[in-house]
């Protein structure tokens, strides 16, 4: 038992400056679990067919079927798994709700090409182009809503 406690002590490091307000919490060391990227995000939607049509037509995503007929929207090395409201897969978010997502997507296009493409697709822009800060530096962004009223930000990095 003492050996197990010593091993756990090596994995955990107390961090009094950044620990949660409840006493007794510990912070994992940096090397214990390093997150490298997002694999997928689940979107709860009203209608999977309407959603897939929009994301394919407007954003060029690819519909993939997996598992027992489940649908996802694939792009780059990640995807949006789709759950239809009332027919969610377990486990699920505490309150799966259409229209509750606000996400930024990076495009391989100029901001003018993004804006022109949205206009051609008949998508109303609700904000931008505007300069923002992305995960890797400054971006130019435009905002619009998908069929479930999720806020979609499409951006491109600027030098």
């Amino acid at each position: 038992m003492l050996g197990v406690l010593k091993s756990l002590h090596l994995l955990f490091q107390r961090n009094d400056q950044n620990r949660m307000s409840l006493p007794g919490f510990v912070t994992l060391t940096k090397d214990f679990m390093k997150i490298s990227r997002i694999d997928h995000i689940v979107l709860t939607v009203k209608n999977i067919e309407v959603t897939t049509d929009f994301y394919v037509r407007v954003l060029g995503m690819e519909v993939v079927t997996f598992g027992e007929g489940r649908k996802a929207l694939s792009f780059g090395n990640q995807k949006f798994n789709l759950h239809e409201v009332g027919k969610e897969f377990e486990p699920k978010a505490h309150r799966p709700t259409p229209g509750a997502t606000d996400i930024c997507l990076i495009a391989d296009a100029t901001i003018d090409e993004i804006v022109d493409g949205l206009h051609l697709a008949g998508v109303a822009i609700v904000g931008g182009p505007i300069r923002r800060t992305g995960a890797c530096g400054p971006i130019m962004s435009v905002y619009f809503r998908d069929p479930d009223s999720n806020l979609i930000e499409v951006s491109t990095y600027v030098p």
Side-chain angles (χ1 to χ4, degrees), residues 40-60:
H40 69 275
I41 293 173
V42 174
L43 293 179
T44 302
V45 302
K46 294 175 193 168
N47 183 299
I48 288 178
E49 187 175 322
V50 169
T51 298
T52 56
D53 175 68
F54 177 86
Y55 280 85
V56 168
R57 184 175 54 81
V58 176
L59 296 172

Side-chain angles (χ1 to χ4, degrees), residues 60-81:
M61 294 184 183
E62 181 182 340
V63 178
V64 294
T65 303
F66 67 102
E68 296 180 13
R70 294 180 62 186
K71 299 289 183 191
L73 295 158
S74 178
F75 58 102
N77 291 324
Q78 50 278 320
K79 63 181 180 163
F80 293 151
N81 287 350

Side-chain angles (χ1 to χ4, degrees), residues 55 59 61 75 80 103-107 144 152-156:
Y55 280 85
L59 296 172
M61 294 184 183
F75 58 102
F80 293 151
I103 193 161
C104 178
L105 303 170
I106 300 298
F144 56 93
I152 308 300
E153 176 182 357
V154 176
S155 307
T156 188

Side-chain angles (χ1 to χ4, degrees), residues 8 35 39-41 43 47 55 63 72 76 84 86 101 108 118 157:
L8 286 173
I35 303 300
D39 181 79
H40 69 275
I41 293 173
L43 293 179
N47 183 299
Y55 280 85
V63 178
E84 195 165 279
T101 301
D108 291 329
L118 291 171
Y157 278 95

